Structures are given as structure tokens and as C-alpha cells.
Amino acid sequence: PPSIPIFTQDEVTKHRSLEDGVWVTYQGSVYDITEFVSMHPGGDKILLAAGGALEPFWALYAVHSQEHVLEILSEYKVGELSASDRQKQETGKSLDPYSTDPIRHPALHVNSLKPFNAEPPAVILSDNYITPSAIFFKRNHLPVPQVDANIYRLHVEVLPGVTPGVTPLSLSLDELKTRFPKHTVTATLQCAGNRRSEMNKVKPVKGLNWGIAAISNATWSGAKLKDVLLAAGYRPELAQLACHVQFEGMDRDVTGTTYGASIPLNKALSDDGDVLLAYQMNGEDLPADHGYPVRVVVPGIVGARNVKWLGRILVSQEESRSHWQQNDYKGFSPATDWDTVDFKLAPAIQELPVQSAITQPAEGAMLDRRANEVRVKGYAWSGGGREVVRVDVSLDGGQTWKVANLQSGEKPQPGRAWAWKLWELTASLPPGTQELEIVCKAVDNSYNMQPDTVAPIWNLRGVLSNAWHRVKVTVKE
Ligand code: HEM
Ligand code: MTE
Ligand code: MO
């Protein structure tokens, strides 16, 4: 049989354009896909992989994990990668701490690949009251840790050193599931940086440039944190000594430092707090990106405290010392800049302010005059269990208003409105105008309202961005 041509990585790398030919590698084989590029259902994106490996790109687009895709690829095989280069690819993979991250849904808008941060397209977000897990926004600071559920332990300590006689509790996943009653809560998570891109337009801020979809809603099931703390030896007499519950993730940076955060002990112990050690999301095991096998769900509280891949819980006198509790996720005056900021002076964000945004139509959309009307859709939510009671919508930049219809769901119990409300309004197109500025603003049951503009709430980290949301569209005559 004719011997198979062997190519080095250098030779493959030379073929990265339509002029020089487009070569890629996949599982140690080399393919000349020049002819296929114009036929590719996914368009030009295919050129991103030119001269290199397909695996990292296919890992992003799940559509390729199908038999017929491999069949197409096999038609273009021209040879094999040299053994030494193959080995380099393997070691490169194992050196990359992100190589074991899960495959993600291709619809997600990726803000950062390593670590993985992504939000769903806004139009998809408001299609479902319960956000499907695959498109639920993902906010990772570090590589996704590989946790073996069979050897997983959750360590719980109550005031170590202060409470003699209390031994730390260590629970297997099975014990967490069987020793404690299972509770289910529907709760919205929102990143403190949601809508940061609007702040960035006022003046540059530091952080991922989130659009309006760093927020999602899911059903979470697990044990109540309170039940676990009581099992670990927490007693009401300790209330003067203990103030906070710290959480440690199992995801670590190169120095071994883990992600961490804390919440007030009151929230954890309150019967109405609904803080869960969740092992299920939307009725299934937690997905890897969302904290498998166990995460904390702290309803009404900023995303950052909902620690994923939970390894350790500590009831303590102090807040978590982690970077993310002490030197990040805090709000400041527009007057504070990076030269003057003192993170010790501001409290860590816990409950979030009232929020809403328009998911449809999209910025820049063309509306057809003949349709006579426009359908506006969006979400609204407030922190701390406060319920959104009204959403106002304007088609003229805020001069006149209409009240949107809130999706009727189950009426939440007072102080426990953890889930967002989707809303919509169909309004007739105002005659004569070719440009509409659609605006929304929400009101919660404490009558908290959103500020009308971004500039007065601008802050150097771009957090707590909750001004009226504005979308400009044109009407085609
Ligand atoms: C879709 C083949 C490389 C991005 C597809 C589909 C095929 C295909 C058959 C349609 C799948 C289906 O719907 O059943 C290939 C082959 C490739 C290649 C043979 C390499 C030789 C890439 C690369 C990227 C990419 C490198 C990205 C960097 C996409 C996207 C879609 C797609 C985004 C979805 C398009 C849509 O449904 O809108 N590809 N692909 N592909 N591909 Fe590729
Ligand atoms: N927990 C761990 N262990 N590591 C993290 O990077 N990110 C936090 C929080 N919990 C994070 C974490 C932040 S900032 C947010 S907004 C939420 O997780 C996002 O949760 P999600 O990815 O499930 O949407
Ligand atoms: Mo976040």
C-alpha cells in the first residue's frame, strides 16, 4: 500500500489562506480543506482554524460532533502529522488548564474564552421564563475544575478555634442528597457586571464588556444551607460571634488560590432566605459550567456570591478574604478613579438594585411601517427578594409612557420574589416618526426605580449598571 505522507506542524502552519491553501489538523491527521471553505455551512469562521487544529474550534461549536461532519472532513485528508508534533499537541493540551473545560452552546456570545465568559443573544433570553441551562450566562474566573462526584467531599466548619467540641462536618454528595430535605427554588442570577458595556460608552471601565444578558433564570434544587449549618454544629448562642458564611470553590489559579466569597450569616439562617446548596439545575445534575457537583444559590444576591464547585463552607466572624470579596464587586462614586480608589471603604455588593432591559427589538432594528405596531419584550428583576410590580415602556425616549404586561406566573411570597418577570407590550407605531427610542424602566415593591441615565452611576469597575434601558430603531416607510 502507498505510504501516507507525513507533515510537520510547520508545514501545516504555512497553509493558512485561500492563496496558500487551507490546511487543518484533527486527531493527528492533516486535511487540505481549501475547496471546502466556500461550501462550509458555518461560513468564513472556518478560516479561524487555518494552519492549526480543529479541536479547539469544534469544541466551541457543538454542531460538529456529528457523524456526517467527520465524513465530510475525511474526504479532504492529505496525510498525517509527524509523531513529534502530535505529541507536542497532546502536551500542549495537558499544559493548558482550560483544555478540560466543557463544550459550550454555539449561540452564546463569548466575552472571553479562557476563562470562559458568555451570554446568550438577548432575543433568545426572553423566549423562556426558565432559561435552558445550555444558554444560561456563564461567568468563570478560572478553569472549570474536574470534580469526581464519587470522591467529592463538602467540608463545613463553624467558627473553628472558637467553638471547642464542634468537629468539622464532611459530607459526600450522597450524604448531602439523602441526609437533608430537598428544596427547589426558582431564582434569577445576575452578574454585577451585567450591562457594563453601557457604562463603558460613558467612560472606559475595567471588566468584561457584558451586554444585557449576564442574567438568567433557573430552577435550583438542593439542601438548605441552614440545615447543613445546624448539622455542622451551629447553635443560636453563637450568633454574637458569627457574622458571615464563607464559601470556597474548587477552581484555583496557578498559585493554588481558590475562588471565594461570603454572605451575611442572617441570610443563610433566615427561613425565608432560601439559600441552597444546589446539586440540580432545571431538574438535572448541575452542568460543569454551573458548578458541578454542588454550588451555592443565594437568591436575591449578586451572582458573585453564588459560589460554584463548592468545596468548603466556613461560618466565621469575618467576611471572606478572597480578592473577589475584598477588592472587587464593590460600588464607587463616579468621582473615584484607579488612583484614588480604596476598596476597604465600600461594602461588598450583596443585594442588587432593581433592573430591567429590552430584549426585543434589538438596537438598530428596522420596523416595517405597514405592520402598524411594534412588539417590545424584556425582563425585569430586583434583588433582595423584592418583587417587580410594574414596568413602564416609552417609544419616545421617555416623554410618554405605557405600562407593560408582566408575565403572570405564580405570585411570589412577600420578600421572596427571587425570579425575574418577563414582560411585553404591543404598541401602535407613532405616526410620522422614522426613529424611535424605546425605553424601559422597572419599579419594585419598595418603589425603588432605575436611574434615567448611566453617567451619574458610572463607576470604575462598571458594576451595578441599571439605568433605563434604551434601544433605537428605525421605521421603514
Ligand atoms: C456548521 C463542517 C470547521 C464553525 C457546520 C456544518 C458542517 C460543518 C457540516 C453544518 C452542521 C449541521 O448543521 O449539521 C465543518 C468542517 C470543518 C468545519 C468539515 C473543517 C474542515 C469549522 C470551524 C468553525 C466552524 C473551524 C469555527 C471557527 C461553524 C459554525 C457552524 C458550522 C458556527 C454553524 C452554522 C449555522 O448553523 O449557522 N460546519 N466545519 N466550522 N460550522 Fe463548521
Ligand atoms: N464560583 C466559582 N467557584 N468560580 C467563579 O468564577 N463566578 C461567580 C459565581 N460563582 C464564580 C463562582 C460570578 S461572578 C457569577 S456572576 C456567577 O457565579 C455566575 O454563575 P453562572 O456561571 O452559573 O451563570
Ligand atoms: Mo459576576
Side-chain angles (χ1 to χ4, degrees), residues 351 354 382-389 415 443-449:
E351 293 181 358
V354 61
S382 190
R386 288 175 289 276
E387 181 182 0
V388 167
V389 294
V443 184
D444 72 19
N445 64 343
S446 298
Y447 285 101
N448 290 309
M449 301 184 203

Side-chain angles (χ1 to χ4, degrees), residues 117 137 139-141 190-194 196 208 210 214 259 302-305 329:
N117 288 284
F137 86 97
R139 205 289 176 241
N140 299 340
H141 292 81
Q190 181 181 210
C191 183
N194 189 30
R196 180 178 282 132
L208 295 162
W210 293 112
Y259 184 85
V302 65
R305 317 298 170 214
Y329 296 114

Side-chain angles (χ1 to χ4, degrees), residues 194-474:
N194 189 30
R195 301 182 61 196
R196 180 178 282 132
S197 55
E198 292 159 69
M199 270 192 187
N200 232 341
K201 282 184 201 142
V202 170
K203 204 167 83 178
V205 296
K206 243 186 223 168
L208 295 162
N209 206 32
W210 293 112
I212 63 165
I215 182 170
S216 301
N217 189 48
T219 295
W220 310 94
S221 307
K224 271 204 176 173
L225 174 59
K226 180 186 180 179
D227 293 343
V228 173
L229 293 183
L230 292 175
Y234 179 80
R235 311 181 295 271
E237 306 91 86
L238 300 174
Q240 304 112 297
L241 291 170
C243 279
H244 302 278
V245 188
Q246 302 184 23
F247 307 113
E248 223 176 79
M250 301 170 87
D251 46 339
R252 25 185 94 240
D253 68 14
V254 283
T255 71
T257 308
T258 53
Y259 184 85
S262 60
I263 59 168
L265 179 64
N266 285 345
K267 170 73 177 168
L269 294 179
S270 156
D271 275 327
D272 293 345
D274 291 318
V275 183
L276 295 185
L277 303 177
Y279 41 78
Q280 283 189 334
M281 177 181 189
N282 295 337
E284 292 173 340
D285 285 353
L286 286 181
D289 265 325
H290 297 289
Y292 180 82
V294 178
R295 85 175 299 170
V296 193
V297 172
V298 197
I301 299 286
V302 65
R305 317 298 170 214
N306 292 246
V307 174
K308 306 191 274 190
W309 313 291
L310 184 65
R312 185 165 167 259
I313 300 174
L314 175 64
V315 175
S316 63
Q317 289 164 295
E318 274 145 34
E319 280 186 272
S320 163
R321 297 226 180 97
S322 96
H323 166 81
W324 297 279
Q325 190 80 18
Q326 301 290 339
N327 296 321
D328 203 352
Y329 296 114
K330 293 186 172 190
F332 291 96
S333 159
T336 303
D337 62 26
W338 288 101
D339 295 327
T340 57
V341 67
D342 181 354
F343 273 91
K344 283 192 282 304
L345 296 182
I349 300 170
Q350 296 284 352
E351 293 181 358
L352 284 171
V354 61
Q355 176 69 289
S356 72
I358 299 160
T359 54
Q360 185 191 306
E363 175 72 29
M366 292 274 222
L367 307 181
D368 190 341
R369 167 70 66 193
R370 286 167 303 178
N372 285 324
E373 48 183 35
V374 54
R375 186 161 176 230
V376 187
K377 285 174 72 172
Y379 65 75
W381 180 77
S382 190
R386 288 175 289 276
E387 181 182 0
V388 167
V389 294
R390 201 183 75 225
V391 173
D392 299 324
V393 176
S394 171
L395 298 186
D396 54 14
Q399 294 175 60
T400 61
W401 299 90
K402 292 183 162 61
V403 176
N405 298 308
L406 300 181
Q407 188 186 53
S408 59
E410 213 173 290
K411 178 82 183 151
Q413 287 176 10
R416 294 167 89 181
W418 310 129
W420 67 10
K421 292 198 180 174
L422 299 180
W423 53 264
E424 64 172 82
L425 174 80
T426 302
S428 44
L429 289 173
T433 41
Q434 258 123 67
E435 296 258 297
L436 299 184
E437 190 187 7
I438 309 177
V439 188
C440 77
K441 63 183 174 84
V443 184
D444 72 19
N445 64 343
S446 298
Y447 285 101
N448 290 309
M449 301 184 203
Q450 300 174 245
D452 56 348
T453 52
V454 183
I457 57 166
W458 184 95
N459 61 86
L460 73 178
R461 274 299 266 121
V463 291
L464 307 166
S465 183
N466 73 330
W468 298 359
H469 187 226
R470 298 161 188 269
V471 166
K472 288 204 172 97
V473 300
T474 52

Side-chain angles (χ1 to χ4, degrees), residues 48-109:
L48 290 170
L54 282 175
E55 283 91 339
F57 294 96
W58 282 7
L60 289 179
Y61 298 102
V63 285
H64 298 99
S65 49
Q66 312 179 64
E67 196 102 24
H68 81 269
V69 174
L70 287 178
E71 272 163 31
I72 297 171
L73 184 65
S74 66
E75 291 171 34
Y76 300 98
K77 180 159 172 174
V78 289
E80 266 165 18
L81 199 57
S82 73
S84 72
D85 281 323
R86 232 192 278 186
Q87 200 156 18
K88 268 192 216 142
Q89 265 193 6
E90 284 304 308
T91 28
K93 227 202 269 171
S94 55
L95 285 177
D96 178 359
Y98 294 96
S99 65
T100 50
D101 267 24
I103 291 175
R104 277 90 180 204
H105 197 284
L108 292 168
H109 291 314

